[in-house]
Amino acid sequence: MKILVPIKRVPDPDTKIRLQPDGAGVASDGVKFSLNPFDAIALEEALRLEEKLGEMDLVVVSVGGEETIETLRVGLAMGAKRALLIKTSADLDSLAVAKILAAVYQREQPDFVLMGKQAIDDDSNQVGQMLAALLGIGQATFVSKLELVEQHTQARCARETDAGLETLTVKLPAIITADLRLNEPRYVSLPGIMKAKKKPLEELELAALGVTAVSRTKILKYETPPQRQAGVRVKTVDELVDKLKNEAKAI
Ligand SMILES: Cc1cc2nc3c(=O)[nH]c(=O)nc-3n(C[C@H](O)[C@H](O)[C@H](O)COP(=O)(O)OP(=O)(O)OC[C@H]3O[C@@H](n4cnc5c(N)ncnc54)[C@H](O)[C@@H]3O)c2cc1C
């Protein structure tokens, strides 16, 4: 069985984000980058399936510049068999990334794609859905429990919805996107890091995939949210009600 796991290099969630002075983007100097947490969850789930069902071809793929190799090595150190870097220095929107991943899917022909439900840098929550639409295959998003059934031809997925927990089956191949509660990813071990150095990492130019990456959307400006006011402690409920009424004018 082959599972394709797209992974993205994002600013580390513990890093304090600073913007470029002109608001054109996030300042990257001195910023620590890491593997997108939802992608780590997706890869962890693929590794658990391999532990349960036997050896698999687990392929991590990333779209980005040379610096992305570091992230792919983390994926290999976690346990992926091989890595694929689709090289580009362009700033890509969700649709452009989905088109590139669709071309990777056609090349690799995996049994299914397991990916994060969103990347924590742009929080778009679109690539998985767009990829399924481009490929014309099924999708199960926000998955918090995954099981392969019917001789591994279908995936039974539990997913959180506004109405509660929904369980559905989706025919494979399909796109499955991981929610936070799917699992807790393993730490990368030192032997894993050593082994990762010898695992295959292929670099491909976009042209070799036969796709051009053109973003249809353009981010005009980034702004930091307004500074939060310091909170106040009140001694009584009456005082709280008074403040809500007369200061916050919330009631
Ligand atoms: C696990 C989980 C986490 C969440 N976290 C957050 C969060 O952090 N922040 C947050 O803000 N929200 C959060 N939500 C809420 C979530 O974003 C809402 O479920 C979402 O906004 C609904 O979007 P939708 O596209 O699924 O809705 P849809 O049901 O598709 O509706 C969206 C809109 O589409 C249009 N539409 C839909 N159906 C029709 C129709 N038949 N005819 C005409 N128009 C239609 C309507 O304009 C409707 O308002 C969360 C929900 C879940 C389940």
Side-chain angles (χ1 to χ4, degrees):
M1 176 167 267
K2 186 195 272 194
I3 307 179
L4 186 67
V5 185
I7 61 178
K8 187 178 184 186
R9 181 179 185 265
V10 296
D12 190 275
D14 295 326
T15 299
K16 194 163 167 34
I17 294 296
R18 284 174 299 108
L19 296 184
Q20 292 168 13
D22 59 358
V26 172
S28 59
D29 50 307
V31 174
K32 192 175 159 234
F33 283 83
S34 59
L35 169 60
N36 178 43
F38 290 101
D39 302 348
I41 293 170
L43 179 54
E44 174 65 37
E45 197 63 19
L47 292 166
R48 289 185 190 192
L49 283 172
E50 183 179 46
E51 282 158 8
K52 200 167 148 193
L53 304 175
E55 191 160 327
M56 290 183 182
D57 190 10
L58 298 186
V59 188
V60 283
V61 55
S62 199
V63 182
E66 284 288 321
E67 66 285 355
T68 314
I69 288 178
E70 188 189 31
T71 310
L72 286 167
R73 291 270 175 227
V74 174
L76 292 172
M78 274 180 77
K81 289 277 172 316
R82 58 191 178 90
L84 197 52
L85 171 64
I86 313 303
K87 277 164 78 173
T88 173
S89 56
D91 251 342
L92 301 175
D93 63 9
S94 304
L95 184 58
V97 173
K99 283 183 178 169
I100 296 169
L101 291 178
V104 173
Y105 176 96
Q106 300 295 7
R107 180 184 191 261
E108 292 289 332
Q109 298 286 320
D111 289 283
F112 64 99
V113 180
L114 195 46
M115 59 198 289
K117 70 169 175 132
Q118 68 198 87
I120 59 158
D121 52 354
D122 56 24
D123 258 347
S124 294
N125 186 328
Q126 290 176 341
V127 175
Q129 292 88 329
M130 287 175 168
L131 180 59
L134 288 170
L135 294 170
I137 59 177
Q139 57 177 290
T141 51
F142 317 109
V143 169
S144 53
K145 195 168 172 216
L146 171 65
E147 208 186 336
L148 298 187
V149 294
E150 302 292 331
Q151 280 92 42
H152 310 156
T153 59
Q154 293 181 16
R156 182 182 292 139
C157 305
R159 55 192 302 274
E160 281 180 50
T161 71
D162 287 345
L165 205 60
E166 171 184 82
T167 302
L168 52 83
T169 54
V170 58
K171 257 194 218 154
L172 300 182
I175 307 297
I176 296 172
T177 76
D179 197 2
L180 207 58
R181 275 169 282 278
L182 184 57
N183 61 49
E184 183 123 353
R186 67 198 63 190
Y187 284 108
V188 172
S189 67
L190 190 61
I193 294 170
M194 301 311 289
K195 267 193 217 157
K197 289 185 182 165
K198 292 192 186 135
K199 289 184 178 175
L201 193 153
E202 190 183 351
E203 295 182 35
L204 266 183
E205 299 292 336
L206 278 179
L209 272 180
V211 276
T212 42
V214 182
S215 291
R216 291 191 181 198
T217 54
K218 189 175 165 199
I219 292 173
L220 300 177
K221 198 174 168 206
Y222 286 88
E223 280 175 68
T224 49
Q227 282 277 337
R228 281 180 74 173
Q229 304 278 328
V232 286
R233 275 179 187 274
V234 290
K235 287 201 174 65
T236 63
V237 172
D238 286 344
E239 194 187 341
L240 173 66
V241 172
D242 179 64
K243 280 191 183 296
L244 287 174
K245 251 189 196 157
N246 301 315
E247 282 181 30
K249 307 224 183 289
I251 53 175

